[in-house]
Amino acid sequence: MTDDSIIKSQEQYAEELFEQDEALEQVLASIREKGMPEISIAAGYGRLLTLLVRLTGGQDALEIGALGGYSGICLARGLQPGGRLVSLELKREYAELAHANLTQAGFGELVEYRVGEALDHLSALEQEGRRFDLFFIDADKGNYPNYLEWAIKLAKPGALVVGDNTFMRGKTINPEQKGNAVTRMRQFNEQIARDPRLEGVMLPAYDGLAIARVK
Ligand code: DHB
Ligand code: MG
């Protein structure tokens, strides 16, 4: 086997240890049906999101990029009673599908969707005095460093910041790739590793996941 196929087989083995998840399967089917991009977070990372929200105390979570609600359900599952999720989504159509899917999964009442430019909403959330225990960044890759700055600003002490797709399907480690999004992703990854305000780790499975605690 090539290294690549060993990695894929290990990811598949890990996934097959767990039972099929009907709510999440339904989200994937709804995304497929609508012809939306099939780029929900990897199942293993979805489970990790639930666990991380639970470990942070599960009061206030923020996601940037809702798509069809897959990560939203994973985040909502980790919330304590009374906990809330704010979800920022550029496209109204995606936010509507995500809301329908969270409602079907029993979480419709605890999630608040805000549609439009995430940077505008982040600034509004700061004005409103909102603060969060966990941030999940999974939107336009060129803004990851900006989203990270906002997360640090809106963090409760010890909050976690999680970022999806840190490898950008191999672009991140390919020096020929010099575009804005990948350059900004490299900057984000370096901050996860070295920013003195953070204590970070980089998980190299699937398409890469960054996790950092705001000191
Ligand atoms: C892709 C995957 C993602 O999870 C994402 O957030 C954006 C793009 C992709 O594979 O292209
Ligand atoms: Mg993603």
Side-chain angles (χ1 to χ4, degrees), residues 23-63:
L24 297 178
E25 287 299 320
Q26 187 275 326
V27 174
L28 298 179
S30 74
I31 289 172
R32 216 174 297 129
E33 220 166 85
K34 290 219 180 291
M36 286 162 53
E38 296 185 41
I39 54 170
S40 298
I41 190 171
Y45 285 161
R47 280 187 292 273
L48 180 59
L49 286 181
T50 303
L51 192 61
L52 291 175
V53 172
R54 216 183 292 294
L55 292 172
T56 59
Q59 284 305 316
D60 292 284
L62 173 76
E63 77 172 343

Side-chain angles (χ1 to χ4, degrees), residues 39-41 138-139 141 144 164-165 169 207:
I39 54 170
S40 298
I41 190 171
D138 194 15
K141 308 312 171 202
Y144 268 40
D164 191 29
N165 309 109
R169 301 189 193 206
D207 196 26

Side-chain angles (χ1 to χ4, degrees), residues 4-146:
D4 197 48
S5 72
I6 290 172
I7 290 167
K8 286 276 166 261
S9 302
Q10 289 175 168
E11 287 172 355
Q12 193 181 345
Y13 166 80
E15 292 302 349
E16 286 170 0
L17 293 172
F18 296 84
E19 278 184 17
Q20 279 260 332
D21 189 312
E22 284 189 19
L24 297 178
E25 287 299 320
Q26 187 275 326
V27 174
L28 298 179
S30 74
I31 289 172
R32 216 174 297 129
E33 220 166 85
K34 290 219 180 291
M36 286 162 53
E38 296 185 41
I39 54 170
S40 298
I41 190 171
Y45 285 161
R47 280 187 292 273
L48 180 59
L49 286 181
T50 303
L51 192 61
L52 291 175
V53 172
R54 216 183 292 294
L55 292 172
T56 59
Q59 284 305 316
D60 292 284
L62 173 76
E63 77 172 343
I64 308 176
L67 191 61
Y70 189 107
S71 54
I73 290 174
C74 296
L75 293 164
R77 283 174 172 170
L79 293 170
Q80 295 299 307
R84 300 198 53 82
L85 169 65
V86 175
S87 179
L88 310 184
E89 172 52 56
L90 182 63
K91 298 187 174 168
R92 182 161 303 279
E93 177 201 354
Y94 291 6
E96 282 171 3
L97 181 67
H99 198 189
N101 283 330
L102 264 80
T103 301
Q104 195 169 333
F107 300 118
E109 296 297 309
L110 56 77
V111 59
E112 177 194 348
Y113 286 94
R114 297 193 181 195
V115 176
E117 283 295 338
L119 292 172
D120 297 337
H121 288 304
L122 289 162
S123 159
L125 287 164
E126 194 202 13
Q127 294 293 312
E128 292 165 30
R130 300 287 295 267
R131 297 295 181 267
F132 300 89
D133 306 291
L134 185 139
F135 302 83
F136 178 50
I137 303 172
D138 194 15
D140 51 318
K141 308 312 171 202
N143 267 317
Y144 268 40
N146 296 328

Side-chain angles (χ1 to χ4, degrees), residues 62 122 126 131-132 135 137 145-161 188 191-192 195-199 212-215:
L62 173 76
L122 289 162
E126 194 202 13
R131 297 295 181 267
F132 300 89
F135 302 83
I137 303 172
N146 296 328
Y147 297 148
L148 180 57
E149 282 308 314
W150 275 111
I152 293 169
K153 245 182 238 168
L154 299 178
K156 294 189 203 172
L160 294 181
V161 185
F188 173 85
Q191 274 188 271
I192 292 294
D195 190 307
R197 298 169 296 176
L198 303 173
E199 199 176 357
R213 179 178 175 277
V214 182
K215 286 183 190 164

